[in-house]
Amino acid sequence: MNTIINNIAIEKAKTSKINEVDFDNLKFGHVFSDHMLECNYKGGKWQTPVVKPYQPIVLDPAAKIFHYGQSVFEGMKAYKDVDEKVWLFRPLENFKRLNISSKRLAIPELPESYFMDGLKTLLEVDKDWIPKKAGSSLYIRPFIFASGNGFHASPADEYKFIICTAPSGAYFAGEVRVLIEEKYSRSANGGVGFAKAGGNYAGQFYPTQLAIEKGYQQVIWTDDNTHEYIEEAGAMNIFVRINDTLVTGPTSDRILDGITRKSIIELAKSENIPVEVRKITVSEVVEAAKNGSLKEMFGAGTAAVISPISGFGYKNEDYELPKFDDTYASYLKKRITDIQTNKAADPFGWRYEVK
């Protein structure tokens, strides 16, 4: 039976898969909730979103997503506190960035109400899928892709906006060792590095695989022109602590404006942690590692929030980072996750209650 919430039609799944799921042993992004949201763009406008049972998507072989890669996405999480209240973290930032990415790839921008009301409706329908175990969350994947057909190299005339969700346990990357890239680039000036475009990630896989074969888990991306400047860590923004100062590169055509990144910067400044947003040279990091002033390096992103780096390789030499308690990484991660899960006050207005 169909119902209506927030003016969005809902087609409920006949049966739920929830009782088949072991919520104590959830891998990241492997189990999917009962429903998804779908909204089609055709005839020059976005149609009304619909919540429907999670199911395969049927596409024509000539759909332009397969040929010209018009695809953008976001990553978000929903949390449930001890009082069963549901929370999001800065969702409007995800909406804004999705449209920034869409515009760069000539995808029609989405109305805010379709994103927010659609997301809230989907979470209301699948609220039982939001884990309550500490460290767990409901991972949310909004994405838009070209569904219109044709082999002509031009923007599609039809698109799909979909939101799928996946209950996930705590994301622990463990001891991450990284290789500073000297040949390959993630993005270039004038390119799409600042957008969350699917192709950005596809282009990372091969250089990352080469790094894995050398015994590392991830790549530190450097600038496309000189490879002298550190830019990102795998699929995450990167922070470097030199003595007591936290340093991260400025956003640009090449660097994603990460929501976790900007939250870390704002939080650190509020805690009187010295922060510098500036270009970071590889030589500066190597010299700091040699003279002992390099205290920490960590990646920042939605999945792990903060992922500490234990060491890095560069020009066939490995450098170890010191191990000590009370790191910026552990402190800032706890502060952010406590805000996200309603365990601490939110002086920034980042937390968004779904009701």
Side-chain angles (χ1 to χ4, degrees):
M1 178 193 246
N2 290 355
T3 56
I4 301 287
I5 299 179
N6 295 326
N7 297 316
I8 295 174
I10 300 167
E11 178 192 344
K12 287 283 190 75
K14 290 184 172 63
T15 58
S16 175
K17 308 183 297 286
I18 197 166
N19 291 327
E20 303 169 12
V21 177
D22 181 359
F23 278 84
D24 290 325
N25 294 285
L26 288 169
K27 291 183 179 179
F28 180 78
H30 277 67
V31 175
F32 304 98
S33 312
D34 284 327
H35 299 88
M36 64 191 230
L37 178 128
E38 182 174 323
C39 181
N40 292 308
Y41 179 92
K42 57 185 178 181
K45 64 179 181 179
W46 286 102
Q47 310 298 304
T48 303
V50 176
V51 171
K52 60 199 295 187
Y54 184 88
Q55 59 192 269
I57 302 166
V58 178
L59 293 172
D60 191 286
K64 291 199 173 186
I65 178 58
F66 300 133
H67 308 280
Y68 304 113
Q70 276 183 290
S71 173
V72 296
F73 71 95
E74 278 296 320
M76 312 169 64
K77 289 180 179 179
Y79 309 86
K80 191 177 283 185
D81 67 17
V82 293
D83 298 319
E84 300 285 313
K85 291 181 178 179
V86 176
W87 302 93
L88 296 169
F89 184 72
R90 309 189 75 175
L92 287 173
E93 293 295 324
N94 292 99
F95 163 71
K96 292 173 186 174
R97 191 172 62 185
L98 184 68
N99 272 348
I100 289 170
S101 299
S102 293
K103 186 175 182 179
R104 180 62 182 82
L105 271 73
I107 295 171
E109 294 177 50
L110 192 73
E112 180 180 321
S113 61
Y114 283 32
F115 183 93
M116 291 303 298
D117 290 345
L119 177 56
K120 289 188 288 185
T121 304
L122 181 61
L123 292 177
E124 174 62 28
V125 171
D126 276 347
K127 60 186 175 183
D128 291 341
W129 283 87
I130 305 173
K132 291 178 281 188
K133 185 177 180 180
S136 299
S137 61
L138 185 71
Y139 184 78
I140 302 166
R141 172 55 61 86
F143 58 103
I144 304 175
F145 66 91
S147 56
N149 300 338
F151 291 150
H152 188 267
S154 61
D157 57 359
E158 295 186 3
Y159 298 84
K160 283 186 182 291
F161 166 56
I162 292 174
I163 304 178
C164 297
T165 63
S168 298
Y171 189 100
F172 294 118
E175 291 272 309
V176 177
R177 300 184 62 80
V178 298
L179 179 66
I180 296 179
E181 185 55 56
E182 300 175 55
K183 176 181 178 181
Y184 296 100
S185 297
R186 176 186 171 274
S187 58
N189 287 331
V192 296
F194 67 91
K196 279 192 78 73
N200 288 347
Y201 298 80
Q204 295 183 32
F205 295 156
Y206 177 67
T208 302
Q209 186 59 46
L210 295 179
I212 290 170
E213 291 171 2
K214 294 178 181 178
Y216 303 92
Q217 285 77 50
Q218 270 298 351
V219 166
I220 294 290
W221 299 106
T222 51
D223 69 287
D224 64 302
N225 187 27
T226 65
H227 295 287
E228 293 178 2
Y229 296 97
I230 281 177
E231 299 205 321
E232 292 201 350
M236 308 176 82
N237 293 120
I238 188 167
F239 285 82
V240 175
R241 177 182 174 183
I242 298 176
N243 291 317
D244 289 332
T245 300
L246 201 57
V247 188
T248 192
T251 56
S252 66
D253 286 349
R254 303 185 306 274
I255 298 178
L256 185 74
D257 187 11
I259 295 163
T260 305
R261 170 191 175 276
K262 66 177 69 179
S263 302
I264 289 171
I265 293 170
E266 194 170 344
L267 178 60
K269 288 179 177 178
S270 76
E271 300 281 347
N272 295 317
I273 294 172
V275 179
E276 294 179 2
V277 178
R278 61 170 174 81
K279 289 185 175 182
I280 311 165
T281 63
V282 175
S283 58
E284 178 185 9
V285 172
V286 170
E287 180 58 32
K290 289 179 177 178
N291 65 32
S293 60
L294 180 63
K295 305 300 183 185
E296 298 180 65
M297 295 173 67
F298 56 83
T302 298
V305 183
I306 288 176
S307 181
I309 292 169
S310 61
F312 68 90
Y314 182 64
K315 290 191 180 299
N316 299 315
E317 189 168 349
D318 285 327
Y319 300 86
E320 302 299 318
L321 275 79
K323 296 182 184 298
F324 59 97
D325 296 328
D326 303 321
T327 62
Y328 284 172
S330 59
Y331 176 74
L332 292 169
K333 181 172 183 175
K334 185 177 189 306
R335 287 284 286 114
I336 288 177
T337 54
D338 282 353
I339 290 173
Q340 290 172 331
T341 54
N342 198 28
K343 292 178 181 175
D346 176 18
F348 308 99
W350 291 339
R351 199 165 49 225
Y352 181 97
E353 185 176 0
V354 179
K355 54 185 177 179

